[in-house]
Amino acid sequence: MSATISQETYDEEVRELMEGLGMTEEEAIEDAVKCFEMKGVDLRNIVTDSVLQDKYKKIMTCLERLTCAVNDKSYERVPEMLQELRTELDKDIGHRVFAGKHKCYNVLIDLLKYCGKNHVVLKSTLETITSLMSGYPDLLDDEGIVLQIEILEKHYDPVTLQYLLRWIRECCIKHELNRQKIFDANIFEKLKKILVRTDVSAQEVKDACSVIRALVLDDDIRHEYGKAHEHATIMAKGALDVITGLLQRFKMDTKIIGDLMITLAALVVRNEFCQEVEDAGGLKFILDIMTEYPDSEKLNWQALKLLKALAGNDTVKSHIITSGCAPLIVSSISRMKRSENVVTAGLSCIAALSLRSSSNAGVFYDCGAAQVIVDTLKAYPNHINILKQGSWAVRNMSVRNKSESKEFLMYGIEEVLRTAVLVHGFKLEDTAIAALRDLGLKVDLKERWSGKGFSLSNDRY
């Protein structure tokens, strides 16, 4: 026969774990449940998360009221209830996880299903479910994806569309299976219909592009292999011309052109896509942006990201240099040295453009890139990624330009790289030592693998 305990005994055990062992509320509850179950205690009549009820009382109250509203089909006060719920969900991930475990997702899905014609409730529900799933995309199910596509097909007003696209984007972040299922639901064609509309607004373009970029992320550590490349290839084939056309259409709107540039950068994953963007005037557009907005940190960062992506095509890479981009790149790094984004993108751009091209590297030397690179690395001694991108830039500029590479030594690159290796160790070792080696300096190369001393035999049996 199973033992029983009172609610007070259970609650006291949880509190002792929290106070005595410093556990979080969720950890203490999980540990208490396991301990009591191992002792054969029947917890069926115990509210195991009762200790959390005070903290999350408003969430429970909101969910109870919303459930009643759905059952009674009385939606007059639903927007007000959803606002209260959003306030709680936006506090932290703990509130969202608690709500998710108490059927919040299901309640909101029911509202989306039954209130499609009530635009006020629909918009508020979309906004709330986005808050619920921010950093918590695991809740999405097939029913939710079907609803996303249905709402997208009905061409609601721009505000509703905005909330919907933001929900879809949130579902894609750090969740590979969600991305694949949403993509397989033919969402790209729906997004393309938005982008090709003659009356499409800047905000709609921005939100549609954010979903496109989310569909090509590769950020879910739970899955070793994703489909980011496949998604990017399909969307590039279907929308590169559309997006490059939008560059000219929204040229005067600096908030949108930046989004369009980084969207293109995310899609040009194949050689022919880089050429297609250049043929459509993409390279000239980047030059114009970097010339017309020299003080815009965000636009310069986004332009540099696209330049680096286009450098994946050797012909386009050559055109980037001959069109006069090298001085603009070096100048951006020099002028915006305090911006980690611009510096990282600029150094990465130099590394890509000088890869396997002594002539391109020579142009960067003529632009004063060597001194700018060294000064930049000196300014960021603790920033791993900047040091890594800088090391690649030094290496690629030096390996085929031995005589010109002495400029780096003159400005003190050896001390910078050796110090970086001492400070950061294996995180930077390979790239920094490779740069030192290609500068002609003495380095100690580590043998990563060696045999075990057994002699090899080629005897045939």
Side-chain angles (χ1 to χ4, degrees):
M1 183 175 179
S2 298
T4 59
I5 59 171
S6 66
Q7 184 70 54
E8 290 76 15
T9 301
Y10 172 83
D11 292 347
E12 184 60 30
E13 175 68 17
V14 174
R15 289 192 185 93
E16 286 182 4
L17 289 170
M18 290 167 58
E19 294 170 5
L21 300 179
M23 291 183 175
T24 64
E25 293 162 322
E26 288 80 1
E27 289 171 340
I29 287 171
E30 183 179 358
D31 194 74
V33 169
K34 286 181 180 178
C35 287
F36 282 123
E37 287 179 345
M38 288 176 65
K39 294 176 182 178
V41 175
D42 186 355
L43 296 176
R44 284 179 296 178
N45 295 320
I46 299 296
V47 181
T48 56
D49 55 4
S50 63
V51 180
L52 302 179
Q53 294 300 315
D54 288 341
K55 182 177 180 180
Y56 300 129
K57 187 175 181 179
K58 285 188 178 180
I59 291 178
M60 295 301 297
T61 302
C62 289
L63 292 178
E64 288 168 5
R65 291 164 61 197
L66 286 169
T67 301
C68 291
V70 171
N71 293 336
D72 298 340
K73 297 182 181 180
S74 174
Y75 306 124
E76 184 178 343
R77 298 193 61 195
V78 164
E80 178 187 329
M81 300 176 201
L82 289 171
Q83 177 59 58
E84 290 180 25
L85 179 58
R86 274 199 305 280
T87 301
E88 295 300 307
L89 296 175
D90 290 340
K91 287 182 176 179
D92 57 44
I93 187 65
H95 283 72
R96 295 192 284 276
V97 171
F98 180 87
K101 289 180 177 179
H102 288 78
K103 308 294 184 181
C104 182
Y105 175 82
N106 305 83
V107 172
L108 296 176
I109 288 294
D110 285 342
L111 279 171
L112 291 176
K113 286 194 298 186
Y114 303 133
C115 301
K117 294 181 180 179
N118 187 325
H119 286 194
V120 176
V121 173
L122 178 62
K123 285 184 280 192
S124 188
T125 306
L126 287 170
E127 194 175 3
T128 306
I129 201 168
T130 302
S131 289
L132 171 66
M133 298 181 67
S134 178
Y136 189 30
D138 290 4
L139 293 172
L140 187 69
D141 58 11
D142 292 342
E143 186 178 22
I145 295 173
V146 170
L147 274 171
Q148 288 175 343
I149 301 302
E150 284 181 0
I151 298 171
L152 196 55
E153 287 176 336
K154 291 179 180 177
H155 301 295
Y156 281 99
D157 62 279
V159 177
T160 303
L161 184 61
Q162 179 181 23
Y163 290 146
L164 172 65
L165 293 177
R166 288 181 180 178
W167 174 34
I168 294 173
R169 175 184 176 275
E170 204 61 55
C171 294
C172 293
I173 296 174
K174 294 186 178 179
H175 204 296
E176 178 62 28
L177 291 182
N178 282 358
R179 279 194 290 267
Q180 293 183 20
K181 288 182 178 180
I182 291 171
F183 192 85
D184 290 343
N186 205 23
I187 191 172
F188 171 59
E189 291 304 319
K190 312 295 185 299
L191 296 173
K192 187 176 177 180
K193 285 180 180 178
I194 295 171
L195 295 176
V196 300
R197 280 191 0 234
T198 56
D199 62 341
V200 65
S201 68
Q203 188 60 54
E204 287 172 322
V205 171
K206 185 179 180 69
D207 290 323
C209 283
S210 72
V211 175
I212 288 174
R213 294 195 302 275
L215 289 167
V216 297
L217 288 174
D218 187 16
D219 58 357
D220 190 345
I221 60 174
R222 296 171 293 186
H223 292 266
E224 188 173 357
Y225 301 105
K227 290 191 174 182
H229 189 275
E230 291 91 328
H231 292 172
T233 299
I234 292 169
M235 291 192 288
K237 288 179 178 178
L240 279 186
D241 57 336
V242 175
I243 297 173
T244 49
L246 289 170
L247 283 173
Q248 292 299 328
R249 180 173 170 183
F250 288 95
K251 187 173 184 180
M252 303 308 294
D253 192 330
T254 57
K255 293 181 180 179
I256 301 305
I257 56 177
D259 274 78
L260 290 168
M261 285 193 292
I262 57 173
T263 302
L264 284 172
L267 295 182
V268 288
V269 294
R270 283 177 30 176
N271 198 58
E272 64 268 28
F273 299 154
C274 301
Q275 189 65 60
E276 186 177 336
V277 171
E278 190 202 0
D279 292 343
L283 179 53
K284 182 181 182 304
F285 183 85
I286 296 171
L287 277 165
D288 291 343
I289 292 300
M290 295 183 74
T291 304
E292 294 174 20
Y293 302 98
D295 299 321
S296 173
E297 176 187 326
K298 190 172 182 180
L299 282 179
N300 276 267
W301 164 67
Q302 291 161 328
L304 289 168
K305 292 274 286 185
L306 180 52
L307 276 179
K308 194 250 180 163
L310 294 177
N313 179 302
D314 286 343
T315 303
V316 177
K317 180 164 72 174
S318 177
H319 292 168
I320 290 172
I321 297 299
T322 57
S323 65
C325 279
L328 292 174
I329 296 168
V330 176
S331 177
S332 292
I333 298 172
S334 181
R335 284 181 293 103
M336 302 182 191
K337 198 176 292 183
R338 293 185 178 182
S339 169
E340 294 181 5
N341 286 334
V342 171
V343 167
T344 304
L347 293 175
S348 178
C349 210
I350 292 175
L353 290 167
S354 57
L355 178 66
R356 297 189 306 273
S357 177
S358 59
S359 60
N360 286 2
V363 174
F364 278 114
Y365 280 111
D366 293 341
C367 296
Q371 182 176 3
V372 170
I373 291 171
V374 177
D375 289 345
T376 301
L377 297 187
K378 287 179 180 178
Y380 288 93
N382 298 314
H383 197 295
I384 296 288
N385 198 28
I386 288 178
L387 291 169
K388 188 172 290 186
Q389 296 302 328
S391 297
W392 279 113
V394 171
R395 182 184 182 187
N396 292 348
M397 285 179 61
S398 302
V399 68
R400 295 170 185 260
N401 299 67
K402 295 299 183 184
S403 61
E404 294 162 300
S405 67
K406 294 176 182 177
E407 275 193 53
F408 281 113
L409 301 177
M410 183 175 66
Y411 294 120
I413 191 65
E414 181 177 6
E415 182 182 355
V416 173
L417 293 179
R418 291 196 188 280
T419 301
V421 172
L422 287 174
V423 172
H424 301 291
F426 73 94
K427 293 179 181 178
L428 199 65
E429 200 172 44
D430 289 344
T431 51
I433 287 178
L436 290 168
R437 178 199 64 205
D438 290 332
L439 284 166
L441 300 170
K442 184 178 179 180
V443 294
D444 295 322
L445 299 175
K446 291 185 179 180
E447 189 173 18
R448 299 296 185 189
W449 180 88
S450 60
K452 296 183 178 180
F454 299 108
S455 59
L456 299 177
S457 173
N458 60 356
D459 293 340
R460 295 180 180 178
Y461 296 94

